[in-house]
Amino acid sequence: MIHTEINGVSLPVLGFGTYHLTGPEGVKAIRHALDLGYRYLDTATRYGNEEEVGQAIAESGIDRDRIFLATKLRYVDLDPATIEDRVKESLARLRVDHVDLLMPHWPSPTIPVAPIMEAFARVRDKGYATHIGVSNFPTDLMREAIKAFDGPIFSNQVEYHPFIAQSAVLDQLRSHGILLTAAVPLARGAIDDEPVIREIAESYGKTTAQITLRWLIQQPGVTAIPKSGQPERIRQNLEIFDFALSEDEMARIGALQRNLRLVDVSWAPVWDAPG
């Protein structure tokens, strides 16, 4: 596993997303990922599976300090007066005394960024979270978060794959030493029908998912959190460290970017213009 460093912290460039992994099958899939060597787990209260993630970690026998654990609070749970209580509830479900990364899952449509980030800083100062990031923040709200937060913001988790241009977001994050965590990195399977990615995959004897994940993690300041409940896919997604894409191949995949946004909800912020 390759690691990246941000603000003096080393973490795997490839994490394991847990969206939709619930119940006994969810625990089984998360355990399988840990057994294979994943050491970065991403969950959220909205996923309804923090208990399953906590159970999988407990059953794995892996020391807690060897797992980078991230969770997110729902946008409806961002009242600054109750954020600490919501975090404590997440920690109880996860069976841990702290998470490594805590984020608002989406910006609140009704509460300004500043008091939310100030409340997250207080949670960090009490030891419930080692690092604070954000998720689904466009550049204007990210500027507000950076200004309001006491300390470095760790990451911004946003939709990022070969078919969505995130140039403005990437440029901003890199200028501030903040990670971009690529959510929905495999474009919900749309990569399988892309001739450029298929051609490159065939030349390496790899899957389209492996090529796409390699494209993401070869970019400076980018990590990815693919999700799968299929044991073979979970294993394959981890097997991206025995090859490297050429500059030309990176550019060819990068040229596929357009504005195919796959995650857009009624409470979403105003997104940055594509390009």
Side-chain angles (χ1 to χ4, degrees), residues 179-224:
L179 283 176
L180 185 149
T181 302
V184 201
L186 303 179
R188 293 181 173 169
I191 56 171
D192 295 338
D193 298 322
E194 173 49 55
V196 170
I197 298 176
R198 290 176 63 178
E199 177 190 331
I200 295 172
E202 289 171 6
S203 72
Y204 282 94
K206 293 289 186 178
T207 66
T208 54
Q210 289 168 325
I211 295 300
T212 301
L213 292 173
R214 184 71 207 190
W215 175 76
L216 286 165
I217 62 100
Q218 269 189 225
Q219 298 177 50
V222 175
T223 61

Side-chain angles (χ1 to χ4, degrees), residues 86-265:
R86 301 293 82 77
V87 172
K88 288 179 179 178
E89 292 165 0
S90 284
L91 296 180
R93 289 189 290 267
L94 289 164
R95 307 188 195 183
V96 297
D97 60 5
H98 75 284
V99 291
D100 298 282
L101 178 59
L102 178 69
M103 299 162 274
H105 202 158
W106 294 82
S108 170
T110 58
I111 304 173
V113 170
I116 292 172
M117 297 308 296
E118 290 164 0
F120 272 70
R122 291 192 293 271
V123 167
R124 175 207 58 194
D125 292 344
K126 290 187 177 183
Y128 299 131
T130 307
H131 306 288
I132 301 298
V134 297
S135 182
N136 298 306
F137 272 45
T139 55
D140 59 340
L141 296 184
M142 194 71 200
R143 278 191 293 272
E144 293 183 35
I146 292 168
K147 183 178 180 180
F149 189 65
D150 176 21
I153 293 178
F154 194 82
S155 61
N156 187 4
Q157 184 179 124
V158 297
E159 179 179 347
Y160 188 39
H161 48 70
F163 308 128
I164 186 167
Q166 292 284 21
S167 302
V169 174
L170 266 170
D171 289 346
Q172 180 191 54
L173 297 181
R174 285 170 177 159
S175 71
H176 289 277
I178 300 171
L179 283 176
L180 185 149
T181 302
V184 201
L186 303 179
R188 293 181 173 169
I191 56 171
D192 295 338
D193 298 322
E194 173 49 55
V196 170
I197 298 176
R198 290 176 63 178
E199 177 190 331
I200 295 172
E202 289 171 6
S203 72
Y204 282 94
K206 293 289 186 178
T207 66
T208 54
Q210 289 168 325
I211 295 300
T212 301
L213 292 173
R214 184 71 207 190
W215 175 76
L216 286 165
I217 62 100
Q218 269 189 225
Q219 298 177 50
V222 175
T223 61
I225 48 171
K227 184 273 301 183
S228 179
Q230 302 176 32
E232 182 64 11
R233 287 288 184 90
I234 295 171
R235 180 188 63 78
Q236 288 177 349
N237 289 347
L238 195 60
E239 295 176 344
I240 61 171
F241 302 106
D242 57 350
F243 74 103
L245 297 173
S246 69
E247 290 184 10
D248 177 68
E249 290 162 341
M250 291 289 292
R252 290 177 65 197
I253 297 173
L256 301 172
Q257 294 191 333
R258 46 189 190 271
N259 196 32
L260 179 63
R261 187 175 295 279
L262 300 171
V263 180
D264 207 1
V265 291

